[in-house]
Amino acid sequence: MAAGVRKLDVFGTTPGGKQVDRWEIDNGAGLRAQVLNLGGIVTRLNTPDRNGLSENVLLSPRDVGTIFSPGWGYLNSIVGRFANRIAYGKFSLDGVTYSLATNGGSHTLHGGRVGYDRRIWDVTPVQADDGPALRLSLVDPDGTENFPGTVNVTVTYTLTKEGAWRIDYEATSDRATPINLTQHAYFNLKDAGRSSVLDHVVHLDATHYTPGDATLIPTGEREPVAGTVFDFTTPKTIRRDLSKLTNTPQGFDNNFVVPGEPGTLRQCARVTEPTTGRVMTVWTTEPGVQLYTGNFLNGTVIGADGFAFAQHSALCLETQHFPDSPNQPRFPSSILRPDQTYRQRTEYRFGTDR
Ligand code: GLA
């Protein structure tokens, strides 16, 4: 198909009666995405394998009902206002203590009860120099989920001519607020989740990670990965050290420190899939990346192609600020002030081993 952006169809209606539109972005060179105005959810992302066959590499929802079913897990959506955890749903800012709803055990996870993944975004097609793009924007009013300040967010998805899914985030606020945005894409470079990602080979550049307690709240330390199961500086399969993990449900769900200067685009991960030859590198301006191996997926959600999303059927590389940053003075600040603009760029670059 020719490169471009177009509205495909109406994908469905939310439980609250809002229309969910589906858009398509095509870079004209084998990279194609379907995107919803609901949560900026990417329902499908087709990338070429080593034989040039372009197929979907994401867990794919069947309909809007799937997205609102329990156990959905933020699949392929934009996560905000604060991705990852805020311990016990509490933080203090400029002398005021804020209490958020807790929705992930005792903590606030991924923005609270109704995060950016469940909102309807305004969608505008853009023809950028680097490739066709969709601009998604949202006004997040003051006091939503008890966060301070009205936040204006814009997220732009570009499918570049070179074969990257580029995500540009921009946000401003009229009051100081914590902010942490990410894309929660569930990748399976082999077969979109029909089988597991255990044999995907992962290379992370991180020499350090932020250890946490059993509920995934960081201790505030940065520990070396050397000599631990979190050492991916030499590429290894997800399978290799999985059984050594002691968390429940078992799997990787850890924040890694991205080497180099935050604010500059640098590679943080490389994933290769031996059967199809697909290779994905992840580049980001963010300080951290959370590797999550779909530990909470339990087979109850059925995808567009008729198979259930089983545990470890996908992996996420969520580029972001470190978890619980608002309560961790030693972590890079995640506070956005009215005179500032929050910006981050992340790129998932696709290629093959050929
Ligand atoms: C993130 C978290 C996980 C889990 C998933 C969604 O990756 O770190 O613990 O909450 O999102 O299920």
Side-chain angles (χ1 to χ4, degrees):
M1 216 192 81
V5 189
R6 64 194 177 110
K7 196 159 172 177
L8 271 187
D9 53 14
V10 174
F11 190 64
T13 311
T14 66
K18 293 196 175 121
Q19 181 175 308
V20 180
D21 299 327
R22 183 162 57 167
W23 291 75
E24 187 171 70
I25 319 174
D26 194 321
N27 83 337
L31 189 60
R32 197 166 74 239
Q34 291 181 358
V35 181
L36 305 182
N37 60 344
L38 170 62
I41 293 170
V42 179
T43 55
R44 280 177 188 275
L45 181 70
N46 284 49
T47 79
D49 69 5
R50 73 162 75 85
N51 300 316
L53 186 67
S54 185
E55 284 186 316
N56 180 32
V57 296
L58 295 177
L59 299 193
S60 184
R62 193 167 50 184
D63 51 29
V64 176
T66 342
I67 297 170
F68 282 87
S69 65
W72 166 245
Y74 309 87
L75 259 68
N76 316 336
S77 63
I78 300 165
V79 179
R81 176 182 305 198
F82 200 93
N84 217 309
R85 292 168 180 78
I86 296 180
Y88 307 101
K90 291 214 172 2
F91 67 92
S92 296
L93 181 56
D94 300 335
V96 181
T97 300
Y98 294 89
S99 270
L100 312 168
T102 53
N103 62 321
S106 326
H107 310 305
T108 300
L109 177 66
H110 295 330
R113 281 166 307 191
V114 183
Y116 291 2
D117 57 296
R118 292 281 166 100
R119 312 269 182 92
I120 296 289
W121 294 63
D122 284 329
V123 177
T124 322
V126 222
Q127 188 52 55
D129 284 347
D130 295 337
L134 264 190
R135 194 168 66 219
L136 302 114
S137 45
L138 181 76
V139 179
D140 184 24
D142 181 37
T144 311
E145 296 288 322
N146 266 351
F147 282 107
T150 296
V151 171
N152 276 280
V153 196
T154 303
V155 178
T156 306
Y157 293 157
T158 308
L159 296 191
T160 71
K161 293 166 193 152
E162 292 76 30
W165 171 22
R166 175 183 294 159
I167 311 169
D168 285 300
Y169 303 77
E170 219 176 271
T172 53
S173 177
D174 60 1
R175 285 172 68 196
T177 179
I179 189 155
N180 191 21
L181 306 178
T182 194
Q183 225 296 345
H184 209 307
Y186 280 64
F187 293 102
N188 181 317
L189 303 182
K190 184 180 179 195
D191 54 18
R194 199 175 288 275
S195 62
S196 86
V197 290
L198 295 182
D199 294 314
H200 282 45
V201 179
V202 175
H203 171 219
L204 300 180
D205 296 87
T207 57
H208 288 74
Y209 74 112
T210 57
D213 67 13
T215 67
L216 301 174
I217 297 301
T219 60
E221 308 295 325
R222 300 175 198 218
E223 297 277 351
V225 295
T228 76
V229 293
F230 306 114
D231 191 349
F232 285 90
T233 57
T234 304
K236 65 175 180 183
T237 60
I238 295 292
R239 186 189 299 281
R240 199 170 84 195
D241 289 327
L242 192 78
S243 64
K244 297 184 191 143
L245 292 166
T246 53
N247 60 331
T248 324
Q250 194 173 52
F252 292 96
D253 196 353
N254 306 90
N255 173 61
F256 292 82
V257 180
V258 178
E261 246 341 275
T264 62
L265 193 69
R266 59 241 194 270
Q267 184 176 317
C268 64
R270 185 172 197 269
V271 182
T272 57
E273 200 293 296
T275 323
T276 61
R278 285 196 181 87
V279 179
M280 175 177 82
T281 58
V282 186
W283 295 68
T284 189
T285 57
E286 285 298 275
V289 60
Q290 181 98 0
L291 169 65
Y292 170 63
T293 50
N295 315 336
F296 291 104
L297 297 175
N298 61 11
T300 52
V301 176
I302 310 293
D305 302 309
F307 51 85
F309 299 155
Q311 191 182 41
H312 306 145
S313 61
L315 62 82
C316 306
L317 287 156
E318 306 156 50
T319 56
Q320 56 185 250
H321 272 259
F322 301 170
D324 197 32
S325 292
N327 294 309
Q328 302 277 355
R330 285 176 292 174
F331 287 175
S333 170
S334 58
I335 305 302
L336 172 66
R337 298 197 174 268
D339 58 339
Q340 301 172 325
T341 302
Y342 166 98
R343 281 195 185 88
Q344 79 123 312
R345 172 175 282 186
T346 292
E347 290 184 6
Y348 297 99
R349 298 184 185 173
F350 297 94
T352 68
D353 59 7
R354 236 189 30 195

